[in-house]
Amino acid sequence: MRVRRFGELEAVIMDRVWDRDEPTTVREILDEISAEREIAYTTVMSTMDNLHRKGCLERERLGKAYWYQPTLTREQYSANLMHEALHGGGRSDLVLAYFVEQIDAEESAGLRAALRLRRDPLQPRPAGSLSEQQ
């Protein structure tokens, strides 16, 4: 599956949708965004419709409004972007090596922990881990 980065408004909308625990409407997202900048209802509506057509949001019609929710978590989306970058940027071993050079000690520890989980599927997973997301 090819993953592309979001445009500026798509990213703002997806962040708002990901921050919610429940489905949301165009009106709710518009109200949040319009507190920070002037934006038309139709702009938010068409952007959310585009995100739906791209498979990033699913929606259900309840009454007169569509209720939207993400199809992937923020972390799953980010992982897909990382996978795409790893395999789309030349030699994947070098891409990974350059990436590892750029991460700090805390990120390095997280990467090592993720690799240990991958090697030992019987090891208990921490709260919020991938097994809980699936």
Side-chain angles (χ1 to χ4, degrees):
M1 170 180 158
R2 183 136 176 93
V3 179
R4 79 173 185 86
R5 294 189 59 87
F6 295 129
E8 181 188 345
L9 182 56
E10 290 175 330
V12 168
I13 289 172
M14 287 303 298
D15 280 337
R16 303 298 170 114
V17 173
W18 277 321
D19 287 343
R20 297 173 178 276
D21 293 328
E22 299 176 345
T24 189
T25 63
V26 171
R27 174 63 59 194
E28 292 172 336
I29 298 299
L30 171 72
D31 290 346
E32 283 187 25
I33 295 173
S34 63
E36 298 168 9
R37 67 183 191 193
E38 194 170 315
I39 190 165
Y41 178 90
T42 53
T43 302
V44 175
M45 180 181 65
S46 62
T47 303
M48 290 178 75
D49 183 59
N50 288 342
L51 288 164
H52 168 70
R53 283 189 284 112
K54 293 176 183 178
C56 301
L57 294 175
E58 59 186 16
R59 70 183 180 194
E60 180 179 348
R61 187 171 202 118
L62 295 172
K64 293 183 179 184
Y66 281 112
W67 290 78
Y68 292 85
Q69 62 187 20
T71 58
L72 296 173
T73 66
R74 180 180 282 136
E75 294 77 13
Q76 289 169 325
Y77 171 76
S78 296
N80 287 344
L81 284 177
M82 291 169 61
H83 186 264
E84 191 73 28
L86 181 63
H87 295 287
R91 287 184 39 201
S92 58
D93 59 332
L94 292 178
V95 172
L96 189 55
Y98 289 129
F99 171 75
V100 170
E101 286 178 7
Q102 297 176 42
I103 63 177
D104 64 26
E106 185 178 330
E107 293 165 330
S108 179
L111 180 57
R112 282 193 304 277
L115 290 170
R116 278 193 301 276
L117 288 175
R118 174 124 171 106
R119 283 193 304 247
D120 185 4
L122 298 179
Q123 183 174 337
R125 296 188 185 258
S129 69
L130 292 176
S131 63
E132 294 177 359
Q133 302 283 325
Q134 298 171 350

